[in-house]
Amino acid sequence: MAEITSSLAWELATGGPWPAPEALAGPERYMAMALQEGLNGIGLSSPNPPVGCVLVRDDRVLGRGVHTRAGDPHAEIMALRDAESRDESMVGATAFITLEPCCHHGRTPPCTDALIRAGIARVCVGVRDPNPRVDGGGFALLRAHGIEVEEGTLGEACARFHAPFFKLIRTGLPWVVLKLALGSDNAMGPTGRTTLITSPQVQQSAHALRRAAEAILVGRRTVEVDDPQLSDRWPAPTLPHRLFRRVVLDSHGLLTIDRRVWKPIEGQPSMQVTAGECAGLSGVEQLRVPPGPGGCSLRHLLHELAALGIGRVLIEGGAKLASTALSQGLVDEFHWFRADQPAGGEPLTLEIEGFSSQRISHPFSGGTWEILRHT
């Protein structure tokens, strides 16, 4: 059986699989292209959404754009600039945008103004922006200037694509992805010993989940047993401004400075999370949160990470941490690498009933990559 390709791994890590433009026609084809553009902003744009935009006239793509950093131009502006760089006129063109254009002044001017000035005749949007400063206002402003607006093109896919942003806006919490590798016996291996459950090829595919996140979170025991680096090692290049925080729950400050996770990596700072006053570690950011089950309050920690602009968090280590996150209803997406062979050790009892609304399975040599998502 063939292993999971890097392109499929990236799709699964970002909420896909996504509609393939070549399999579609008309407006849906161009919205699928806009989604493909938006994928290039995941892991980079938070706390803003990674919006994608494609400009079209007479079935010809004039420009493409994606939002990749808060404070930088939005996708609509990038697509207009792309078209202008090729001396394309926007008069009478259609803009296909995954999310409703903004209509307010924030760190950048309103995208609605730019679309109006450019002479765009029609705007097709995947899904409405629930941000109270937008929430239909962008549509109303465009229509007031005589621009035709269509909402809901590939609406389900666009809503799924922007679900992390929607959660952040509505709850103040980041999107939480849990990743576990378990044997056929639902165990992670004997206690206190590192156990390789899946092949190196599958482990490399799982690194797509790190690239899609802005922070990785593990418990103290994972660091003590495995001594991981927790770095983003997805091979595709990324933009220099990307930050990937390596966060460790160490409620009593017991970990020593010689652990690999504390070693400096450019663009990947490490953070020690404690539930009390601790001396701290040189060169390591420290965050104190209230105590909770297992040592630290996970909910408070997630709010603090959101305040730092982190919109996507990957929980990747520790049976105790995984069980706590699931039991408290903090997990939005569960990536379950299930091997065909037993791993040994104590089987885990996981509370996954809430994920029954969407379940995706992809086989690989020696097991199955199962994805359970809230919808």
Side-chain angles (χ1 to χ4, degrees):
M1 182 181 295
E3 294 294 349
I4 295 170
T5 64
S6 59
S7 59
L8 176 58
W10 179 243
E11 284 212 47
L12 297 179
T14 54
W18 303 110
E22 59 272 16
L24 301 171
E28 290 189 342
R29 176 170 178 261
Y30 297 117
M31 188 61 74
M33 290 182 182
L35 279 169
Q36 293 297 316
E37 288 298 312
L39 286 172
N40 296 319
I42 289 182
L44 297 165
S45 67
S46 287
N48 290 355
V51 177
C53 176
V54 172
L55 304 173
V56 178
R57 187 178 56 239
D58 299 328
D59 286 327
R60 189 166 66 89
V61 174
L62 307 176
R64 305 167 186 258
V66 58
H67 182 54
T68 57
R69 177 162 59 175
D72 280 2
H74 292 184
E76 298 91 328
I77 307 304
M78 297 303 291
L80 289 170
R81 290 181 179 178
D82 182 39
E84 290 166 3
S85 71
R86 287 186 290 240
D87 296 324
E88 297 282 5
S89 170
M90 294 297 98
V91 176
T94 298
F96 293 88
I97 314 167
T98 59
L99 186 69
E100 179 183 3
C102 65
C103 54
H104 62 283
H105 283 270
R107 296 170 70 177
T108 59
C111 291
T112 49
D113 291 0
L115 295 170
I116 292 166
R117 287 196 306 270
I120 296 292
R122 179 168 164 249
V123 173
C124 288
V125 172
V127 66
R128 180 179 299 229
D129 187 345
N131 185 339
R133 301 181 72 186
V134 186
D135 197 16
F139 294 151
L141 188 58
L142 293 171
R143 289 185 176 118
H145 284 80
I147 296 176
E148 180 185 353
V149 176
E150 294 183 19
E151 180 183 356
T153 306
L154 288 185
E156 183 279 329
C158 289
R160 178 159 38 92
F161 181 75
H162 289 301
F165 172 68
F166 293 171
K167 182 190 178 186
L168 189 63
I169 285 291
R170 291 167 174 156
T171 70
L173 289 167
W175 188 258
V176 177
V177 176
L178 171 63
K179 175 238 169 181
L180 285 179
L182 302 175
S184 58
D185 52 0
N186 269 11
M188 301 177 68
T191 302
R193 191 174 77 196
T194 300
T195 303
L196 297 179
I197 296 175
T198 56
S199 69
Q201 291 82 3
V202 173
Q203 293 168 30
Q204 180 59 42
S205 295
H207 271 272
L209 291 166
R210 295 189 183 183
R211 176 57 59 86
E214 289 120 30
I216 185 171
L217 174 62
V218 302
R220 173 177 58 86
R221 285 291 293 159
T222 294
V223 174
E224 288 179 338
V225 174
D226 297 336
D227 195 21
Q229 192 176 41
L230 299 180
S231 57
D232 172 8
R233 299 194 294 277
W234 186 242
T238 187
L239 295 179
H241 70 263
R242 169 169 161 79
L243 278 180
F244 181 69
R245 280 185 168 84
R246 299 173 290 152
V247 184
V248 180
L249 288 173
D250 184 17
S251 57
H252 299 295
L254 300 178
L255 291 172
T256 53
I257 193 62
D258 59 332
R259 296 296 176 173
R260 296 177 69 217
V261 69
W262 308 133
K263 305 302 180 187
I265 300 176
E266 186 175 359
Q268 302 184 48
S270 53
M271 174 187 287
Q272 180 190 40
V273 180
T274 67
E277 293 290 348
C278 297
L281 300 168
S282 178
V284 177
E285 184 178 1
Q286 189 179 54
L287 177 65
R288 183 180 176 185
V289 298
C296 295
S297 169
L298 279 183
R299 186 173 294 276
H300 281 85
L301 170 59
L302 292 173
H303 276 292
E304 292 292 341
L305 293 178
L308 293 172
I310 294 170
R312 295 171 181 254
V313 174
L314 173 65
I315 297 178
E316 200 191 84
K320 185 177 180 181
L321 176 57
S323 297
T324 300
L326 283 169
S327 65
Q328 293 182 9
L330 297 174
V331 177
D332 301 289
E333 197 169 319
F334 181 18
H335 289 253
W336 190 350
F337 293 81
R338 304 186 68 178
D340 292 339
Q341 301 297 318
E346 187 71 23
L348 298 186
T349 301
L350 303 172
E351 298 183 23
I352 59 174
E353 290 80 6
F355 293 95
S356 59
S357 54
Q358 186 179 59
R359 190 166 190 153
I360 300 169
S361 295
H362 279 277
F364 57 79
S365 296
T368 305
W369 183 348
E370 292 195 35
I371 304 167
L372 296 84
R373 295 187 181 122
H374 284 304
T375 57

